[in-house]
Amino acid sequence: MLYLIGLGLADETDVTVKGLELIKKVERVYIEAYTSILLVDTEKLEAYYGRPIIIADREMVESSSDEILAGADTSDIAFLVVGDPFGATTHTDLILRARELKIPVQSVHNASIMSAIGATGLQLYSFGQTLSMVFFTETWKPASFYDRLKENHQIGLHTLVLLDIKVKEQSLANLARGRKIYEPPRFMTVAQCASQMMEIEAEKCEGICGTKTLAIGVARIGARDQKIAAGTLEQLSDTDLGAPLHSLVILGRRTHYLERDFVREYAIDKAIFDAVWSEFYEGKQ
Amino acid sequence: MLYLIGLGLADETDVTVKGLELIKKVERVYIEAYTSILLVDTEKLEAYYGRPIIIADREMVESSSDEILAGADTSDIAFLVVGDPFGATTHTDLILRARELKIPVQSVHNASIMSAIGATGLQLYSFGQTLSMVFFTETWKPASFYDRLKENHQIGLHTLVLLDIKVKEQSLANLARGRKIYEPPRFMTVAQCASQMMEIEAEKCEGICGTKTLAIGVARIGARDQKIAAGTLEQLSDTDLGAPLHSLVILGRRTHYLERDFVREYAIDKAIFDAVWSEFYEGKQ
């Protein structure tokens, strides 16, 4: 059996009892370590589970999945995923490969940012499609997110934006020379995301994610020191929410007064929040 | 402190280790028992936690929240919620009330159907807004879901439909006479939901949820006996997925071939699935 086990969002105690019992008894334990991270390191997880963990990087999961699946027809393998096992699409591949090999698969679900984002006080059923934001470079600033954000915007829905993480990336120079030297991990901040969005808005000028657009930045959701800050993209581009992981929500205009009351508590500046809210959001169903 | 603790989706072992440790040590434990249910009963939870649990019905949460919050300024209270604590909006009220009373609040997130629906193989970021479907009666057939479904449909997104549950409802006769006699709980099935959607489509005729619309029905997600069935609404209206809880996804046309490969495995009839897919979904980005 291949067990896909979600680890939740923050630390080693966010695993479910069902998941923990399985981790303790399976033959091999892998952890997927490139689409998201827990806020504790693998050594801490190993000590907590009392089991060695094999780190599965993108290369292993995408090119050597048979290595992970080896023996799973006769014994049990656990594949740990931060959040819920179905948060990232990479795992669909792994399951399809398991099916081909006639290996049964079972999932142990857990919290995902897709639902935990409700901690902002925004109603989950008022969210449209989820977006990803990648790190811009000097020459590569993909703006495809803009059209999707516009689709949500036109309906009045909120938009969750998941922020890029770079783990085990090689520099172009090292890649060209085939040197397996990796850059330090990088995690996009809410401030960077807000800046990138305003940069694309300045080009497109359709009023989708400009300086006055209200958004909510969240950091380390589910951890004791989680932070939530609500304000305009301009304010958020200048707000430090601390250590990773960060995510951002662009507010839709189809809001409920309870959402307003809840979110206002997190306003960076309540006067600015109130002014922008009443000008652009209040009663704009 | 008020702890909002998610219980996950299926049984008593879906609680997180963090959640379980808190449940064991707080002063009082409530469970919200009207927006969703676990697949095991409260007695089993009490035995597993080693704690008595107070069942909080809608009336208590909405009208007597101070009773729940009593003493939470000096001691710890746990409020258990099936799925993730932020899945249902009722809890927003409870948190706002706690804030008024200066009671600190902390959440322990867990799996929600909003993300666990990824078990169908559909990509979570291709979902639009989530809908609810209520039980139709002879005289009350609210069709407001149709316009929202249409909004998702026009963009090509998938739509998760959460199905009505009726717990502790009184009959009109008993309500009128003030008799606190409750009807047995009712849980909408995928088949009922599919029928209701086709009924509204037959009135509106905009091609949003007709007999040939592809959908995926899921039952008891996260449990050992979970069931997933893909087919047209017509097929699903005639498919029995067994015991509750059920949910349904209306497929959007913006699909990925990996989604197709994954979902096809669950097809009620692969020939019909292939035919409908290639006529209405394939390449319809």
Side-chain angles (χ1 to χ4, degrees):
Chain A
M1 179 82 82
L2 170 68
Y3 289 102
L4 296 166
I5 301 176
L7 297 185
L9 296 169
D11 65 40
E12 70 279 9
T13 64
D14 284 327
V15 69
T16 64
V17 174
K18 186 182 282 175
L20 183 60
E21 283 170 0
L22 288 168
I23 293 169
K24 285 183 182 288
K25 79 174 182 95
V26 297
E27 191 147 315
R28 291 196 309 282
V29 181
Y30 293 88
I31 187 166
E32 185 270 90
Y34 57 96
T35 62
S36 189
I37 53 150
L38 273 192
L39 309 177
V40 294
D41 57 23
T42 310
E43 289 72 37
K44 193 155 185 185
L45 291 183
E46 289 185 319
Y48 188 75
Y49 301 150
R51 297 296 310 271
I53 300 175
I54 305 163
I55 294 180
D57 57 20
R58 188 183 294 273
E59 204 185 319
M60 181 188 272
V61 178
E62 292 181 358
S63 318
S64 316
S65 56
D66 283 8
E67 197 180 304
I68 296 171
L69 296 171
D73 47 344
T74 53
S75 66
D76 293 333
I77 307 296
F79 186 77
L80 313 185
V81 181
V82 174
D84 186 82
F86 289 96
T89 46
T90 316
H91 316 130
T92 314
D93 272 325
L94 186 67
I95 298 173
L96 287 172
R97 181 64 186 145
R99 278 190 193 164
E100 279 172 23
L101 298 170
K102 312 265 182 243
I103 294 167
V105 179
Q106 215 173 292
S107 305
V108 181
H109 293 285
N110 206 325
S112 157
I113 185 66
M114 300 267 191
S115 44
I117 196 66
T120 53
L122 297 176
Q123 297 179 359
L124 288 176
Y125 38 83
S126 297
F127 280 75
Q129 60 196 314
T130 301
L131 305 181
S132 308
M133 178 65 73
V134 299
F135 282 113
F136 285 3
T137 68
E138 278 304 305
T139 52
W140 191 63
K141 302 184 181 194
S144 56
F145 78 86
Y146 195 86
D147 294 332
R148 307 214 153 185
L149 183 58
K150 188 172 155 189
E151 289 171 339
N152 288 346
H153 173 89
Q154 284 169 337
I155 308 177
L157 300 175
H158 309 313
T159 304
L160 170 63
V161 188
L162 303 176
L163 309 190
D164 205 1
I165 78 172
K166 294 279 187 205
V167 179
K168 223 179 159 184
E169 296 281 320
Q170 289 164 280
S171 68
L172 282 178
N174 285 327
L175 194 65
R177 288 172 201 169
R179 290 191 298 217
K180 296 220 161 180
I181 299 172
Y182 302 102
E183 302 299 303
R186 289 192 297 151
F187 306 94
M188 188 182 290
T189 64
V190 160
Q192 282 174 291
C193 178
S195 297
Q196 292 191 175
M197 294 186 112
M198 289 189 295
E199 191 179 340
I200 299 298
E201 176 63 41
E203 278 171 24
K204 304 239 180 193
C205 302
E206 299 186 50
I208 309 299
C209 49
T211 51
K212 293 271 187 284
T213 297
L214 278 184
I216 305 177
V218 303
R220 302 174 303 286
I221 283 287
R224 273 184 175 277
D225 66 343
Q226 78 172 26
K227 269 202 180 143
I228 303 178
T232 63
L233 283 178
E234 190 164 44
Q235 288 179 303
L236 284 169
S237 73
D238 199 33
T239 300
D240 180 6
L241 291 177
L245 293 176
H246 293 190
S247 304
L248 181 142
V249 179
I250 296 287
L251 214 72
R253 67 175 191 289
R254 195 188 282 173
T255 48
H256 189 275
Y257 74 92
L258 279 178
E259 294 183 304
R260 181 188 169 283
D261 290 353
F262 204 107
V263 170
R264 189 175 184 274
E265 184 83 10
Y266 304 121
I268 297 167
D269 179 317
K270 288 196 170 50
I272 293 178
F273 181 85
D274 289 345
V276 176
W277 184 280
S278 64
E279 188 173 354
F280 300 109
Y281 295 85
E282 186 93 55
K284 303 280 193 297
Q285 298 292 315
Chain B
M1 178 83 82
L2 170 68
Y3 289 103
L4 296 167
I5 301 176
L7 296 186
L9 296 169
D11 64 41
E12 69 279 10
T13 64
D14 284 326
V15 70
T16 65
V17 175
K18 186 181 283 174
L20 183 59
E21 284 169 0
L22 289 168
I23 294 169
K24 284 181 183 292
K25 79 174 180 90
V26 297
E27 191 148 313
R28 290 195 311 280
V29 182
Y30 293 88
I31 187 166
E32 184 270 90
Y34 57 95
T35 64
S36 189
I37 54 150
L38 273 192
L39 308 178
V40 293
D41 57 24
T42 310
E43 288 71 38
K44 194 155 187 184
L45 291 182
E46 289 185 318
Y48 188 75
Y49 302 149
R51 297 296 310 272
I53 300 174
I54 305 162
I55 294 179
D57 57 20
R58 188 184 295 273
E59 202 185 322
M60 180 188 273
V61 178
E62 293 181 357
S63 319
S64 316
S65 57
D66 284 7
E67 194 180 309
I68 297 172
L69 296 170
D73 48 343
T74 52
S75 66
D76 293 332
I77 308 295
F79 186 77
L80 313 185
V81 181
V82 174
D84 186 82
F86 289 95
T89 44
T90 315
H91 316 130
T92 314
D93 271 326
L94 186 66
I95 298 173
L96 287 172
R97 181 63 186 147
R99 278 191 193 161
E100 279 172 22
L101 298 171
K102 311 265 182 243
I103 294 168
V105 179
Q106 214 172 293
S107 305
V108 180
H109 293 286
N110 207 323
S112 156
I113 186 66
M114 299 269 191
S115 45
I117 196 66
T120 53
L122 297 176
Q123 298 178 359
L124 288 177
Y125 37 83
S126 298
F127 279 76
Q129 60 196 315
T130 300
L131 306 182
S132 307
M133 178 66 71
V134 299
F135 283 111
F136 286 2
T137 66
E138 278 303 306
T139 52
W140 191 63
K141 302 184 180 195
S144 56
F145 78 87
Y146 195 86
D147 294 332
R148 307 214 151 183
L149 183 58
K150 188 173 157 188
E151 290 171 338
N152 288 346
H153 173 89
Q154 283 167 337
I155 308 177
L157 300 174
H158 309 313
T159 304
L160 171 62
V161 187
L162 302 176
L163 310 189
D164 204 2
I165 78 173
K166 293 279 187 205
V167 178
K168 221 178 161 185
E169 297 281 322
Q170 288 164 279
S171 68
L172 282 178
N174 285 326
L175 196 65
R177 288 174 201 166
R179 290 191 299 217
K180 295 217 164 183
I181 299 172
Y182 302 103
E183 301 300 302
R186 288 191 299 151
F187 306 95
M188 189 183 291
T189 64
V190 161
Q192 281 173 294
C193 178
S195 297
Q196 293 191 175
M197 294 185 111
M198 290 189 297
E199 190 177 341
I200 300 298
E201 175 62 42
E203 278 170 23
K204 304 239 180 194
C205 301
E206 299 187 51
I208 308 299
C209 50
T211 52
K212 293 270 187 282
T213 298
L214 277 184
I216 306 178
V218 303
R220 301 173 305 285
I221 282 288
R224 273 184 176 278
D225 66 341
Q226 79 173 26
K227 271 208 177 135
I228 302 180
T232 62
L233 283 178
E234 189 164 44
Q235 288 179 303
L236 285 169
S237 72
D238 198 32
T239 299
D240 180 6
L241 291 176
L245 294 176
H246 292 192
S247 304
L248 181 141
V249 179
I250 296 287
L251 214 73
R253 65 175 193 288
R254 195 188 280 174
T255 49
H256 189 275
Y257 74 92
L258 279 178
E259 294 183 306
R260 182 190 167 283
D261 291 354
F262 205 107
V263 171
R264 189 175 184 272
E265 184 83 11
Y266 304 121
I268 296 167
D269 178 318
K270 289 195 170 51
I272 294 177
F273 181 86
D274 290 345
V276 175
W277 184 281
S278 62
E279 187 172 353
F280 300 108
Y281 295 85
E282 186 93 56
K284 303 279 193 300
Q285 296 293 312

